[in-house]
Amino acid sequence: MEAYILSLVVFGALNVMLALGLNMISGFCGQISLGHAAFYGTGAYAAALLSISGLPFAASLALGALVAGALGLVVGFATLRVREDFLAITTMGVGFLFLGFVRKQEWLGGEFGVAQIPSPLSPLGFAVLAVGGALAMVALSLHLRRSWMGEVFRAVAADEDAASTLGVDTARYKLWAFVLGTACAGFAGGIYAHVTGLIVPDAFDFIQSVTILAMVVVGGIGSTWGVLAGAVLLTLMPELFRFVNDYKLLIYGALLLAVMRWSPSGLAGLAALVRRALRSSPA
Amino acid sequence: MSLLEARDLSVTFGGVHAVRGVDIAVERGELLGLIGPNGAGKTTLVRLLTGAVRADAGTIRFDGHDITRAPAYARARQGLAMTHQLVRPFRDMTLAENVSLAAAHAVTARPLAALLRTGRGAARRRAGELLERLEITEFAGRGAATLPLGVQKRLEMGRAIAIEPRLLLLDEPLAGLNQTEAARLADLIATLNREGLTVVLVEHNLAEVLRIATRLLVMVEGAVLASGAGSEVMRRGDVRAAYLGESRAGTGEGRGARG
Amino acid sequence: MFHLELLVVGLIWGAMYAMMALGLTLVYGLLRILHVAHAGVFALGAYAGVLTANATGSLWLAVPAAIGVAAAVGPLIYRFIYAPMLSRPPYVALIASIGLFIAMEDGFRLLFGPYGLPFDYNPWFVTTYSLGGISLNVVQIAMAVSTLVLAGAFGVFIAATRVGVAWRATVSDPQMAQSFGIDPVRVRYLNFAIGSAMAGAAGLLVGLLNNLVEPGMGAVVSYKGLAIIVLGGLGNVPGAVVASLILGVVESFGTVYLAAVLDRDAIAFAVLIAVLLIRPRGLFAPAR
Ligand SMILES: Nc1ncnc2c1ncn2[C@@H]1O[C@H](COP(=O)(O)OP(=O)(O)OP(=O)(O)O)[C@@H](O)[C@H]1O
Ligand SMILES: [Mg+2]
């Protein structure tokens, strides 16, 4: 039972990191990405292989985040010239390309992935690490929003060309968003690899990307607290309602659809509505 | 040496030859009125100069530097600012936030500094002063998308001035304003110019242009037709034929013009 | 010979992609929506077909069933999902569409089982003809033929009929079209009906070709369909057809020559990304 709860805590925290990272790219900076799982996978594979080769756990985690961020930089660079719908499809393509590549690489274990990844921490240790990491990312995310970089991100999301006429090098800012967001995913990937001890390519497929996106939009794209709530909610949902498990994808899909249809700003939007209603009708 | 000098600028969109072989020089300290009928290529010329559109041919020099290949943000940093004819505020930011962002240009030019800094004070103060001068302080906290067109036009101007340019290109800043507002804003433009800012003013409100411009340039069908002192230029037959022939010159009515 | 065979098989797959991509690009051209759920319609057509065929014992009846069900559902998707979202930022409809597709896929799995439904009786699958030394079964021939016929009919429809002209006018300038008395909403319904009908037909043919209709059959096709319409220049109908055929052929050769580095389904995206690096708006879009 305790092990179950600890693993739930770890996965919840990993999802928070993934969702907050994607939110920096898509929510703050307005660059829709449909391939976030590729960076999660990159971090996982990099950290796993480094650990297996004998590097200390902490170094593997850090390098995993770094490698994912570096790939984020490359992908960001490659996608600088494509916008909006083209960007969405291109990032989706990056996800498929990652998967199609990894599956065929013998040195990455092909279809069977990488096994026997060392497990340097106790379940409690992993839970503490993951929650600590998630909290650090909440702090980063809140700071980012308040910083001038966050303000520039908002401008880039609203109107890239207008921002550049004000002297903003929009390309560099977009790259920053990609690097920050994908490094967060890479860090989460490193923890994931060491928690499970086994990684396979299919854990980082398009559905995983969509699941991360679902957390972001259900929570409220652009809102740190909303995204945090979205990630926790979607992690717990299948666990709270056991019967949901068999219908997990049906519910994910329907939820995405329903949120976009009736409340495109997600939980954060609902919370804002409620707050406004409370303020305008003093008890 | 002129502040800005462009030679033989040309650009086509699909089949439309929007700007064809334009030579233009903007002298330090002048307030150059740029007029011409709808579709003459005025907006396109402004966008070519600021880098929003890339020229198919020609060269642009600003303060002695060749900026023909420089991206828009680099030109802005060198001191070229513009306003958009079709307003483009950052829609989910307030008026004050829009102008503050521009006022923080020294910070936003360095992403790492932008990531580390959160203090809004200096930029807010600078933006506040500009809103005061533009007489839109009362709208400071309102979302930019919800503002009346006249205020959004002045938001465009506030943002452009906030980056402390040496040359300000204004694309129909008076359109959408009523007569009193237009006259007051024109006065402000003239004052900014007297304070040392070089201005290119694209405008259909001829009365105001003639009142404040120090020189006039007329474009027709993508080319420069005439240039010189306002009264002289307006006396020329070819200008009257090309321009007055088809338009509502001098009425300064607010048109929802094209970009 | 071997290369010729690869080419022919590639073109046939390309033809199937074209049937999918046409619907996608029609929707994009008209509404600027990336209609991922088109793949759900594709699978729905296949299910309608296999259920009809197995219930009646007639493959011929499966054809109108697949096309009819798909053509009915497409406009409903527009009416109840996309229409209320048209004024929102583009990602809203995209994410809703992904959600709908995932839900449909899982719905098929829950209703008809995870392993899919085979055709009880599929003579088209086993009857083969040899053309110039290359042996093709009836389904493959039908794929090529129906794409030719449908693409041709669509071309004629667009070029020569009143409705087709209305459609083109609506794509290029909705307001202008409206001022000439064209009802843009009816054009949209028609658009979804035609595109979905083609997807239903394609779904049935793929089901027949694999002799199996399974819940996940739409996924890969749908994502590749998106890659294709981007390659073709979003909203560009002939561009989408050409890009489909190119992709079919590249994949067919790729499964032989790239097998060591990339799996088949990633090839489309490798091509896509390579092309977008050079032409950010696709192969056949004007440069500006
Ligand atoms: N992005 C574009 N794509 C295609 N054609 C364009 C584009 N921008 C401008 N044009 C065309 O170029 C020509 C010049 O347009 P421009 O907007 O520069 O004129 P203008 O002098 O600013 O007119 P107005 O007084 O109406 O603002 C017009 O024929 C216009 O239709
Ligand atoms: Mg103009």
Side-chain angles (χ1 to χ4, degrees), chain B residues 11-19 35-47 53 85 171-172 202-204 219 222 248 255-259, chain C residues 288:
Chain B
V11 73
T12 49
F13 300 112
V16 183
H17 214 141
V19 168
I35 62 170
N38 292 134
K42 307 178 294 294
T43 295
T44 307
L45 178 61
V46 167
R47 291 165 61 80
V53 173
Q85 176 176 1
D171 198 351
E172 300 200 23
V202 176
E203 202 28 85
H204 278 283
M219 272 185 85
R248 323 141 271 241
R255 300 163 321 110
R258 295 161 303 150
Chain C
R288 204 197 300 265

Side-chain angles (χ1 to χ4, degrees), chain B residues 143-168:
Chain B
T146 66
L147 299 170
L149 180 64
V151 180
Q152 294 198 12
K153 284 270 175 185
R154 282 177 279 179
L155 175 156
E156 283 274 348
M157 248 184 88
R159 262 191 342 198
I161 301 170
I163 69 168
E164 301 171 88
R166 285 181 290 163
L167 173 57
L168 178 60

